[in-house]
Amino acid sequence: MFSLLLLSLPSAFAWEHTYLTWVETDFPLGWEMGFTEEDSLDEGYSLEVLQISWDNWYDAECAEISHTYEGNTGASERNPQDGAITVHWEDPSDEIEAGVLGVTYSIPSNTIVKEISGKVYNRVIDSDIVFNDNVDFGSVEDILADCASQTSIEAVATHEIGHLHGLAHSCEDGEPCTETELTEATMFWAVGACNIDPADINEDDIQSMQALYGPFAYFEAVSSRIGGTPLSVGFEIISDTPVEGVDWSFGDGNTSTEVNPVHEYTDAGQFTVEAVITLNDPTCGTSTYTYDELGFVTACAPPAPAEGANGYFTMAHSDGLTYDTINHTDVSVYGCIDTIAWQVYEGGSVDESKLVDLDGDGDGDSLGAWNPNITFPKEGTYTVLMNIGGPGGLTASELTIEVVDRAAEGSGCATGGTTLGFGLGGLLVAAAAGLRRRRV
């Protein structure tokens, strides 16, 4: 494991940021080295490898970054409030746990620098790197010549300097991570003994750095991206750099080359939208990269029973006068059902004057659970009504059952249910005070 981070949140990209960043006037970043060197390295190599590791990030062309070495600070303790970038080799405060190779400590200010895809980035005011003094570090030359268990200090230092600039891990420990671009990135969460490859930044690392300090663009929806089918969504490219072209993939098999298109989704589903964006920066020239948003658009059909289900819901006897409801509504598209209410009526029809008081408070009411347990007040004929809806619309279904107090018997099952295609607004409004919203 390379580093502990103050903050790491999911983004729309393969790479991740810590949402901390330096500003243009901070460069070149002046940095110092603590008073000791790494004892497992040749004398003088501690400084040399840090210089090399800073320079490795210059392969992220068009990222406007720079650094300068300002000498040995002589500091024996890490000071998170001195405003200086300091690299410590001896873990002076004994902060690093076993198994961790290095840690980057960055202190944010309250100054918001930018916003990318809805995520706010704050300015860094102090950052220090500390290496674990109990690790057998080696140079690239040592490892290539004869490596038993040494860890590449250049790989680790390059990784930590990436954190210092605001880059997070390409993948975290325990996350499913099979893409070569992520597992072989310098910013991958771990490095094995004798492995020198992570010292060379790859495309994922480069795009992550460029997004912070170079030409960059992303897209936003300019209309609702959640709604019923057919759903028209407008897209807009956000960029400070001239856009030369965009190749869109809307996730439903359709594409476009318009810069700011409007696309209509006719089928229900959650759709990942991808834009291959080509920018033409006056200084750096042309650059192309891919930006995508997972599950960006949710298009919903009206509520319907799941495939193969016998109606919207069934009921099964539980105990005494208590019955379980079994909801069969299709929830294959996440986010398309967000409202549900159950009412119970005495008799074989929906009659507002015969609404049953389910909780004993003296008022007719509704239940908002997905599969509620309903305890009927006495034996007899009842109609159970389910109102259900979401962005795709609202519907209702009813089931009439004969309730029998079967405390000593096994459970039974009532099936069926009639879909109501009329008067839905009135039914739902009447129950609005008792509705609880639920995502499934």
Side-chain angles (χ1 to χ4, degrees), residues 1-3 5 8 13-16 159 163 167-190 204-205:
M1 181 176 182
F2 277 101
S3 175
L5 297 175
S8 181
F13 316 97
W15 41 262
E16 301 279 354
H159 179 104
H163 282 319
L167 276 57
H169 291 147
S170 60
C171 284
E172 294 291 352
D173 184 14
E175 290 182 348
C177 187
T178 57
E179 298 180 34
T180 302
E181 188 176 84
L182 302 182
T183 59
E184 294 184 357
T186 296
M187 298 311 298
F188 187 63
W189 72 274
D204 187 75
D205 303 310

Side-chain angles (χ1 to χ4, degrees), residues 100-121:
V100 178
L101 302 175
V103 179
T104 299
Y105 300 91
S106 292
I107 308 299
S109 69
N110 293 323
T111 303
I112 296 176
V113 175
K114 65 174 71 176
E115 182 176 322
I116 297 177
S117 192
K119 302 296 191 302
V120 172
Y121 289 64

Side-chain angles (χ1 to χ4, degrees), residues 26 41 71-72 196 202 290 309 364 397 406 423:
D26 293 328
L41 301 174
N72 191 309
I196 64 172
N202 73 358
T290 300
S397 180
R406 294 181 287 187

Side-chain angles (χ1 to χ4, degrees), residues 24 28 34-35 45 61-62 67 70 98-99 109 112 115 127 191 197 239 258 330 333 379 396 405 430:
E24 183 178 355
F35 79 103
Y45 188 70
E61 298 177 0
C62 291
H67 72 96
E70 296 182 344
S109 69
I112 296 176
E115 182 176 322
S127 193
V191 63
D197 293 337
S239 177
E258 295 182 45
D330 183 9
V333 181
E379 294 184 331
D405 187 350

Side-chain angles (χ1 to χ4, degrees), residues 79-280:
N79 184 350
Q81 303 296 332
D82 61 3
I85 298 174
T86 308
V87 179
H88 294 277
W89 290 101
E90 291 298 325
D91 189 11
S93 301
D94 197 24
E95 298 173 283
I96 301 180
E97 62 187 54
V100 178
L101 302 175
V103 179
T104 299
Y105 300 91
S106 292
I107 308 299
S109 69
N110 293 323
T111 303
I112 296 176
V113 175
K114 65 174 71 176
E115 182 176 322
I116 297 177
S117 192
K119 302 296 191 302
V120 172
Y121 289 64
N122 288 78
R123 183 179 181 179
V124 181
I125 57 175
D126 188 282
S127 193
D128 296 321
I129 295 174
V130 180
F131 295 103
N132 192 331
D133 56 357
N134 294 314
V135 176
D136 183 16
F137 288 115
S139 67
V140 172
E141 292 76 12
D142 292 338
I143 291 173
L144 290 176
D146 182 22
C147 180
S149 60
Q150 291 173 306
T151 299
S152 169
I153 183 56
E154 184 181 339
V156 177
T158 304
H159 179 104
E160 296 304 329
I161 291 169
H163 282 319
L164 183 143
H165 281 92
L167 276 57
H169 291 147
S170 60
C171 284
E172 294 291 352
D173 184 14
E175 290 182 348
C177 187
T178 57
E179 298 180 34
T180 302
E181 188 176 84
L182 302 182
T183 59
E184 294 184 357
T186 296
M187 298 311 298
F188 187 63
W189 72 274
V191 63
C194 305
N195 184 5
I196 64 172
D197 293 337
D200 297 322
I201 65 174
N202 73 358
E203 190 61 27
D204 187 75
D205 303 310
I206 290 171
Q207 289 193 10
S208 182
M209 187 68 81
Q210 287 180 335
L212 282 176
Y213 303 109
F216 181 66
Y218 63 98
F219 65 76
E220 293 181 345
V222 294
S223 58
S224 178
R225 54 190 179 88
I226 302 176
T229 56
L231 175 65
S232 291
V233 182
F235 299 90
E236 180 181 19
I237 296 292
I238 310 298
S239 177
D240 293 330
T241 304
V243 178
E244 188 170 282
V246 185
D247 290 319
W248 293 90
S249 176
F250 299 112
D252 61 353
N254 292 293
T255 61
S256 174
T257 56
E258 295 182 45
V259 174
N260 298 316
V262 176
H263 179 64
E264 182 175 89
Y265 291 85
T266 57
D267 297 326
Q270 277 197 316
F271 302 98
T272 294
V273 179
E274 179 181 280
V276 180
I277 306 170
T278 301
L279 300 177
N280 194 346

